[in-house]
Amino acid sequence: MILRSSVMLWCLMSCCFFSSHAALIKKIWVSGNTKTKEFIILRELTFKVGDSIAVNDIAEKITTSKQNLFNLQLFNNVRIFCVDSTKQDLEFYIDVKERWYFYPIPIMELADRNLNVWWVEQNHSFKRLNLGAVILQRNIRGRNETLAAIVETGFTNYIALQYEFPFIDKKLQQGLQLSSSFYTNKETAYKTYNNKQLFLRDDDHYLKSRFQIGAIWRYRKAIRLRHSVEANYTTYNISDTLLKANPDFLLNKRTYQQYGLLRYLFELDYRDYKPYPLKGYLINAQVTRWGFTPWDNIHMTELSFLGSYYVPLGHKFYWYQSLKFKT
């Protein structure tokens, strides 16, 4: 529903609370969402129609709801107003300003690990540049779905596709992300000597290639809590030329390698604004397993943990500390 600016001004001037009594939320009005579906916005609120809330808690719920909506990264501006029209019933008015959802991003990157290596050791060769583009289309169908495509050529020929469905169920708790990528190289580092990489190039054939396909299932029952399960499979090929240069490039004189991956992620995120947090905390724990069948060529398990804490110190100063470990 699109509201006139005069109505929004009336809502702001009428936002007064008479006591600390509990009031019933009668209606939530949404405006400004020309593309975004209303249920995507309502999903991020800390209140819903039919809730009974203490009037003293309204300001905090509005602040948290605004943070949740900004963290969707769909809106440039979010305003939430409340009207106590009958001293018993509350009405909330939410006005959003949508962002531009199509992002073409050019790519120009070095194949080497830094500018010094490229300039000095590789004689600043333009053959060691990657050129391409990222095409990012967000909020497809107004459901916060995202399509990303990456195309690169040069030192590495690379193509990748990814599509993310934030919600695939009626309760808006489960999401799915599908992805696939493929790359090839005609030049690659094949061994080290005196702590420096040695490179091999074949202009007529690809020395190595990799294909990967995968999916991530996400479960987000609460706004701040997320569980994810990722599964993907990777195949890796090298040429006979690379094998002759280094028989142990893939170990045991193999020219082909394959392995599956299974990862579980637990995330508890109470940061105020994810792209630039100033207050709150984050807990992220993962367990990853590479190789779970007899024919996989890699078998390894990894455990990792990240804990971050953000504290405002006042006078525009903030403190951030983090603990990470991996085994």
Side-chain angles (χ1 to χ4, degrees):
M1 177 179 180
I2 300 177
L3 302 178
R4 301 290 185 182
S5 58
S6 58
V7 176
M8 298 306 301
L9 180 61
W10 172 81
C11 296
L12 179 61
M13 297 177 63
S14 303
C15 187
C16 56
F17 308 116
F18 298 92
S19 67
S20 60
H21 71 279
L24 185 70
I25 299 178
K26 180 181 179 181
K27 180 67 177 177
I28 299 176
W29 305 90
V30 179
S31 65
N33 53 321
T34 57
K35 183 172 184 179
T36 306
K37 301 295 183 182
E38 187 172 301
F39 69 84
I40 295 293
I41 297 174
L42 297 179
R43 171 68 171 83
E44 303 303 312
L45 303 180
T46 56
F47 50 84
K48 63 181 184 295
V49 174
D51 283 353
S52 180
I53 61 176
V55 173
N56 289 341
D57 295 335
I58 292 178
E60 180 182 354
K61 288 184 176 295
I62 288 178
T63 299
T64 304
S65 297
K66 288 180 66 175
Q67 292 172 354
N68 294 342
L69 289 172
F70 274 122
N71 283 331
L72 290 177
Q73 300 186 48
L74 296 178
F75 311 113
N76 284 325
N77 192 29
V78 176
R79 295 185 296 172
I80 302 179
F81 308 101
C82 178
V83 175
D84 189 342
S85 56
T86 65
K87 301 183 182 181
Q88 296 293 330
D89 297 332
L90 296 174
E91 293 186 3
F92 282 89
Y93 293 81
I94 302 170
D95 183 51
V96 298
K97 183 178 181 181
E98 295 184 321
R99 302 175 63 179
W100 188 30
Y101 296 130
F102 179 70
Y103 298 91
I105 306 171
I107 296 174
M108 186 178 71
E109 61 183 9
L110 300 176
D112 299 296
R113 61 185 180 273
N114 57 51
L115 180 63
N116 182 66
V117 172
W118 176 68
W119 190 267
V120 178
E121 296 184 13
Q122 302 301 329
N123 198 29
H124 40 275
S125 171
F126 287 102
K127 291 183 178 181
R128 306 184 65 79
L129 292 179
N130 289 323
L131 302 175
V134 177
I135 306 299
L136 185 64
Q137 177 65 61
R138 303 206 59 191
N139 206 16
I140 298 175
R141 302 193 300 163
R143 299 170 180 265
N144 199 19
E145 299 172 356
T146 301
L147 172 66
I150 305 175
V151 178
E152 288 186 14
T153 187
F155 185 85
T156 299
N157 295 313
Y158 178 71
I159 184 170
L161 290 172
Q162 177 180 296
Y163 200 97
E164 182 174 358
F165 305 85
F167 304 115
I168 57 174
D169 64 325
K170 293 182 178 180
K171 293 183 178 180
L172 305 181
Q173 296 177 349
Q174 300 181 60
L176 184 65
Q177 177 181 304
L178 305 175
S179 62
S180 181
S181 64
F182 178 73
Y183 80 75
T184 59
N185 287 96
K186 289 188 175 182
E187 183 175 356
T188 185
Y190 70 100
K191 67 177 181 180
T192 60
Y193 181 74
N194 287 337
N195 293 324
K196 290 188 177 182
Q197 292 178 318
L198 299 183
F199 287 86
L200 181 69
R201 185 174 182 88
D202 187 345
D203 290 322
D204 298 323
H205 303 90
Y206 291 114
L207 292 177
K208 65 178 183 180
S209 63
R210 190 195 73 171
F211 174 74
Q212 186 177 83
I213 188 170
I216 303 176
W217 172 79
R218 295 189 175 97
Y219 180 63
R220 185 172 171 246
K221 184 176 181 179
I223 291 179
R224 302 290 187 174
L225 178 62
R226 184 178 68 169
H227 303 270
S228 300
V229 177
E230 177 182 358
N232 66 50
Y233 210 78
T234 301
T235 61
Y236 200 96
N237 292 273
I238 67 171
S239 68
D240 293 336
T241 302
L242 183 53
L243 178 65
K244 291 178 182 179
N246 185 355
D248 284 328
F249 190 86
L250 294 180
L251 294 181
N252 303 321
K253 299 182 179 180
R254 287 197 300 263
T255 60
Y256 178 79
Q257 189 179 73
Q258 62 181 8
Y259 54 91
L261 176 145
L262 192 63
R263 174 181 290 127
Y264 167 73
L265 164 69
F266 169 86
E267 185 175 82
L268 189 62
D269 191 346
Y270 273 86
R271 296 174 296 175
D272 53 352
Y273 186 50
K274 294 180 182 179
Y276 195 82
L278 299 175
K279 183 180 179 180
Y281 64 89
L282 169 69
I283 297 175
N284 183 303
Q286 297 184 46
V287 55
T288 306
R289 173 65 185 180
W290 285 271
F292 39 83
T293 65
W295 51 85
D296 284 340
N297 302 123
I298 295 178
H299 295 87
M300 182 174 67
T301 302
E302 178 184 282
L303 302 176
S304 65
F305 173 85
L306 166 66
S308 301
Y309 190 58
Y310 305 81
V311 183
L313 301 178
H315 303 288
K316 297 184 179 180
F317 284 91
Y318 300 86
W319 178 266
Y320 154 65
Q321 54 191 354
S322 181
L323 172 67
K324 299 170 68 174
F325 75 81
K326 181 187 294 186
T327 181

